[in-house]
Amino acid sequence: MSVTTDTRAPAPARGLNALGDLSAHLLGVLERGGADMSQLGVPAQPEPEDGLWEDVAVPQARARRNIWRNSILDASHDEYLSFRLDHLDENQKPNTLRKWLKSLVEAKKLGARPSHLNLIMTGNIGSGKTAGAITIGNEAAERGLWTLFVKHATYLTWRRPDSAPRNLKAWEVRKQFVECDLLILDELCGEMDMTATEFARRETIDLIESRIASGRPTAYTTNLRSRRQPGSQGMGVVDILGERLLSRLESSAHLVKVVGPDRRKPAKPLDW
Ligand SMILES: Nc1ncnc2c1ncn2[C@@H]1O[C@H](COP(=O)(O)OP(=O)(O)OP(=O)(O)O)[C@@H](O)[C@H]1O
Ligand SMILES: [Mg+2]
């Protein structure tokens, strides 16, 4: 049997001195009859943070920021976490996004339903829709809203048994995406066509309908048109949601058309 010896260096004397200093300081404070918590370095109330209202405690707001961050990391979109409304281009309509977010925060404070429950960001491939939508989420999470991001196709996958990360059950996945204060649903109907399964249609309608019914806001991005264009082969969002739900969605939404070139295209086409 081997015998191990403790080879760690003794604790530096400075640490002990510092402890001695601290207890002398605490004793001094108590002897002076000052059981004032601020003198002990313990704030009686959490410090207020910018943009938070009094119903949201600072630890809760921090937890919400982490939840938002994790949903972005799950989607491998870390590169957008630093985006803020001030960094967006005019074609991403930062003023409309800012006003909408402000109305959501106000409505949440008052426990009211926002005047425009939804925001729909449309536009061609690579125009900056996801970046714009995640920017709203970054700022919403900073203001204390419980905000989540998910790509529509990912949500459908996670709703299948044993398919979600962190051992989440399928019902827990639905619960969190239905109940969060703000959902960013990316690429609405993105990987669907006319052969979409009954499961996909049912789950999509259930999520959107439940959020509208409970007055919870959602920002959608999509490359699809709402309705099929005459003469085109492409699908419209209406082909999945149906006319009734689409009109409920549209009637309570700001439409933000992000116009502009595909930002991912190289300036010079690759020759291959
Ligand atoms: N305001 C901005 N400033 C600089 N780069 C940006 C800005 N907005 C978006 N981008 C960059 O442009 C690229 C495309 O953006 P994004 O992914 O948001 O497009 P999209 O419209 O969602 O594309 P898709 O239709 O493929 O989903 C990304 O590399 C992103 O980092
Ligand atoms: Mg996108």
Side-chain angles (χ1 to χ4, degrees), residues 77 80 129-131 186-187 221 264:
H77 276 323
Y80 298 120
K129 302 177 296 296
T130 300
D186 197 35
E187 299 188 21
T221 77
R264 294 195 202 94

Short mmCIF file of all heavy atoms in Angstrom, two decimals, residues 77 80 129-131 186-187 221 264, ligand 2:
data_model
loop_
_atom_site.label_atom_id
_atom_site.label_comp_id
_atom_site.label_asym_id
_atom_site.label_seq_id
_atom_site.Cartn_x
_atom_site.Cartn_y
_atom_site.Cartn_z
N HIS A 77 -25.71 29.26 -32.81
CA HIS A 77 -25.73 30.62 -33.36
C HIS A 77 -24.98 31.59 -32.45
O HIS A 77 -25.32 32.78 -32.37
CB HIS A 77 -27.18 31.10 -33.52
CG HIS A 77 -27.82 30.64 -34.80
ND1 HIS A 77 -27.14 30.54 -35.98
CD2 HIS A 77 -29.10 30.26 -35.07
CE1 HIS A 77 -27.96 30.11 -36.93
NE2 HIS A 77 -29.15 29.94 -36.39
N TYR A 80 -24.17 35.34 -33.09
CA TYR A 80 -25.14 36.44 -33.04
C TYR A 80 -25.36 36.98 -31.63
O TYR A 80 -26.10 37.94 -31.46
CB TYR A 80 -26.50 35.98 -33.58
CG TYR A 80 -26.51 35.54 -35.03
CD1 TYR A 80 -26.89 34.26 -35.39
CD2 TYR A 80 -26.16 36.42 -36.04
CE1 TYR A 80 -26.92 33.86 -36.71
CE2 TYR A 80 -26.18 36.03 -37.37
CZ TYR A 80 -26.55 34.74 -37.70
OH TYR A 80 -26.57 34.37 -39.00
N LYS A 129 -32.37 38.00 -41.60
CA LYS A 129 -33.58 37.79 -40.76
C LYS A 129 -33.22 37.18 -39.40
O LYS A 129 -33.64 37.68 -38.36
CB LYS A 129 -34.57 36.83 -41.47
CG LYS A 129 -35.02 37.32 -42.83
CD LYS A 129 -35.93 36.33 -43.52
CE LYS A 129 -35.26 35.01 -43.85
NZ LYS A 129 -34.15 35.11 -44.82
N THR A 130 -32.45 36.09 -39.43
CA THR A 130 -32.12 35.41 -38.16
C THR A 130 -31.32 36.35 -37.26
O THR A 130 -31.59 36.44 -36.05
CB THR A 130 -31.33 34.12 -38.44
OG1 THR A 130 -32.16 33.27 -39.24
CG2 THR A 130 -30.96 33.40 -37.16
N ALA A 131 -30.38 37.07 -37.86
CA ALA A 131 -29.58 38.01 -37.05
C ALA A 131 -30.49 39.04 -36.40
O ALA A 131 -30.34 39.35 -35.20
CB ALA A 131 -28.54 38.69 -37.93
N ASP A 186 -37.47 30.41 -35.57
CA ASP A 186 -36.70 30.68 -36.80
C ASP A 186 -37.09 29.70 -37.90
O ASP A 186 -37.37 28.52 -37.65
CB ASP A 186 -35.19 30.52 -36.46
CG ASP A 186 -34.29 31.16 -37.49
OD1 ASP A 186 -34.66 32.21 -38.06
OD2 ASP A 186 -33.19 30.62 -37.73
N GLU A 187 -37.12 30.22 -39.13
CA GLU A 187 -37.38 29.41 -40.32
C GLU A 187 -38.71 28.68 -40.23
O GLU A 187 -38.78 27.44 -40.34
CB GLU A 187 -36.22 28.45 -40.60
CG GLU A 187 -34.93 29.19 -40.86
CD GLU A 187 -33.79 28.30 -41.32
OE1 GLU A 187 -34.05 27.20 -41.82
OE2 GLU A 187 -32.64 28.73 -41.14
N THR A 221 -39.25 34.07 -38.30
CA THR A 221 -38.55 34.40 -39.54
C THR A 221 -38.95 33.33 -40.56
O THR A 221 -39.21 32.18 -40.19
CB THR A 221 -37.01 34.38 -39.41
OG1 THR A 221 -36.57 33.02 -39.41
CG2 THR A 221 -36.52 35.09 -38.16
N ARG A 264 -24.22 36.27 -47.39
CA ARG A 264 -23.22 35.20 -47.34
C ARG A 264 -22.53 34.98 -48.68
O ARG A 264 -21.53 34.30 -48.75
CB ARG A 264 -23.89 33.88 -46.92
CG ARG A 264 -24.43 33.88 -45.52
CD ARG A 264 -24.74 32.48 -45.07
NE ARG A 264 -25.70 32.52 -43.99
CZ ARG A 264 -27.01 32.41 -44.15
NH1 ARG A 264 -27.52 32.21 -45.36
NH2 ARG A 264 -27.82 32.48 -43.12
MG MG B 2 -31.97 32.51 -41.07
#
